[in-house]
Amino acid sequence: MIGMLLFGFVASQSLANVDRILSSPPAPVAKNVDDLGSDAARLLLKYQAAELNRFLFEAWGVAQIGLGAAILSAMVFTAHRNKLLIGLALFMAVASLFQAAYIRPYMNALGRSFDFLPLTAAARERENFNSYYVMYSVAEVMKLMAGLLLTGRLIFDRYGWKQKLMPAPPDRMQRRGKPVLTKAEAVNDSNNGHIDG
């Protein structure tokens, strides 16, 4: 779950870093940037940042499949296993596989098709890219929610909070200071007779 948040932050920062570099380029390359022109330098640096993001997300996608399989295995073999935990882990693994095998390849191909084009060009490709990006983001949020539910349930089971928050009712309840007897206890009472076992 931390990896999802970390990779989202890294992706946003690598593209924002292009503008930070071009606003005050390092002295050794400042003349080269001027010779190349700020627009061409921006395109080149944005392409490099986009390619780095694509590589990182592909690697993270493969890692998520492995993590999903490991979590699913752990849920199947844990002492606290139940259908909810196995279902959540299965959902996370399948969602990771869907992202890595279907969504990311299309996003990468679409992104590369307009990397060097002006912002007004390739409107259809950009619209399709945004649709896949929304699908990817929704899958990430759903995996994050499933992971939080799974974690909460395991912690809840681990520390026995169900018994602490909702204790089982006592065998003999009190009513106005006197114990309320069950039917068997009432019959077994010395004033009422005895049940032979």
Side-chain angles (χ1 to χ4, degrees):
M1 290 183 290
I2 291 171
M4 291 180 205
L5 300 174
L6 182 63
F7 273 84
F9 175 75
V10 167
S12 66
Q13 290 306 302
S14 64
L15 290 171
N17 203 35
V18 171
D19 294 325
R20 284 194 290 266
I21 289 171
L22 289 176
S23 65
S24 59
V29 295
K31 184 180 181 313
N32 295 341
V33 169
D34 287 340
D35 291 344
L36 185 60
S38 63
D39 290 341
R42 179 175 268 90
L43 276 176
L44 189 61
L45 289 174
K46 281 195 181 265
Y47 174 74
Q48 190 275 336
E51 281 296 306
L52 178 61
N53 285 347
R54 289 173 192 134
F55 170 76
L56 289 174
F57 275 98
E58 283 176 1
W60 175 236
V62 172
Q64 279 187 312
I65 293 169
L67 289 170
I71 291 170
L72 181 59
S73 298
M75 293 306 101
V76 168
F77 297 114
T78 184
H80 299 283
R81 73 177 166 270
N82 63 35
K83 290 179 183 176
L84 174 67
L85 296 179
I86 292 171
L88 289 170
L90 181 63
F91 168 77
M92 292 173 71
V94 169
S96 297
L97 184 61
F98 178 70
Q99 286 176 299
Y102 179 72
I103 299 176
R104 284 305 314 171
Y106 276 106
M107 286 180 68
N108 291 345
L110 287 167
R112 287 184 179 115
S113 72
F114 57 76
D115 272 340
F116 292 102
L117 298 177
L119 289 175
T120 54
R124 184 176 175 198
E125 286 81 1
R126 290 177 195 274
E127 187 177 323
N128 287 341
F129 178 86
N130 288 335
S131 297
Y132 280 104
Y133 179 76
V134 168
M135 286 171 55
Y136 187 88
S137 300
V138 167
E140 283 294 296
V141 169
M142 290 176 69
K143 284 192 310 187
L144 185 62
M145 290 171 56
L148 289 172
L149 282 170
L150 190 134
T151 303
R153 178 60 191 265
L154 286 174
I155 290 172
F156 194 79
D157 285 351
R158 169 69 176 92
Y159 292 105
W161 287 352
K162 183 176 183 180
Q163 288 77 20
K164 292 176 185 174
L165 296 174
M166 298 177 289
D171 291 338
R172 298 176 65 171
M173 297 171 40
Q174 297 285 329
R175 186 183 295 160
R176 294 185 188 170
K178 298 179 183 177
V180 176
L181 303 176
T182 64
K183 289 180 181 179
E185 289 173 322
V187 173
N188 274 331
D189 187 79
S190 60
N191 296 331
N192 296 324
H194 180 70
I195 295 177
D196 292 326

